[in-house]
Amino acid sequence: MSTQYLSHKLFLLGKNVIVSQIEDSKNIFLTKIKHCQLMISISKSGETEYVLEKTNIAKSVGVQVVSFTNSLPNSLVELSQISFKVYDDIHVLDERSVISSFNSNMIQLIDIIFL
């Protein structure tokens, strides 16, 4: 949800946006990322395997990384040049079925950054 919101917001600001999904193979992603200067990685836990994999690929070709994760120490923060820590009222990282404040806080942060 927040990924779609961010990509639409950037598109409306005139930025070229490429959204990578879990089903993109490494080769497809590598082809896409070679044309980019910046990757924005979003992971509530900061430990999502496919996000970390694609972030590592982006870094290997010299793309700068900005991440949005929770406030706990995590692998994605370590890979990022800039990391935004998004408050989440639920601290169970692998519980995706639990409703938390992460997505709504993410959207608010996006609006603040891109006013």
Side-chain angles (χ1 to χ4, degrees):
M1 179 172 134
S2 52
T3 303
Q4 287 178 318
Y5 186 78
L6 177 58
S7 65
H8 286 259
K9 187 89 164 174
L10 290 170
F11 180 76
L12 291 173
L13 292 171
K15 305 298 179 191
N16 290 328
V17 177
I18 298 168
V19 177
S20 180
Q21 302 296 332
I22 191 171
E23 56 272 352
D24 286 353
S25 71
K26 287 181 187 179
N27 288 334
I28 289 173
F29 180 74
L30 188 56
T31 301
K32 289 180 180 181
I33 201 68
K34 284 182 179 178
H35 303 285
C36 298
Q37 297 174 337
L38 175 72
M39 177 174 177
I40 300 174
S41 297
I42 301 172
S43 170
K44 178 180 172 180
S45 69
E47 300 297 339
T48 308
E49 187 176 332
Y50 76 90
V51 174
L52 292 173
E53 176 184 63
K54 290 181 174 147
T55 302
N56 274 311
I57 292 169
K59 283 196 66 152
S60 74
V61 295
V63 173
Q64 299 291 307
V65 177
V66 173
S67 66
F68 291 85
T69 69
N70 68 55
S71 60
L72 301 174
N74 62 69
S75 301
L76 186 55
V77 168
E78 294 175 20
L79 293 172
S80 307
Q81 282 74 32
I82 298 172
S83 180
F84 291 95
K85 293 173 174 51
V86 180
Y87 175 77
D88 189 12
D89 58 348
I90 304 294
H91 298 292
V92 180
L93 297 180
D94 287 335
E95 189 54 60
R96 291 184 180 98
S97 62
V98 174
I99 296 173
S100 76
S101 63
F102 184 82
N103 278 323
S104 59
N105 289 337
M106 232 339 260
I107 288 172
Q108 288 177 2
L109 182 57
I110 290 166
D111 281 344
I112 290 168
I113 293 170
F114 297 104
L115 277 177

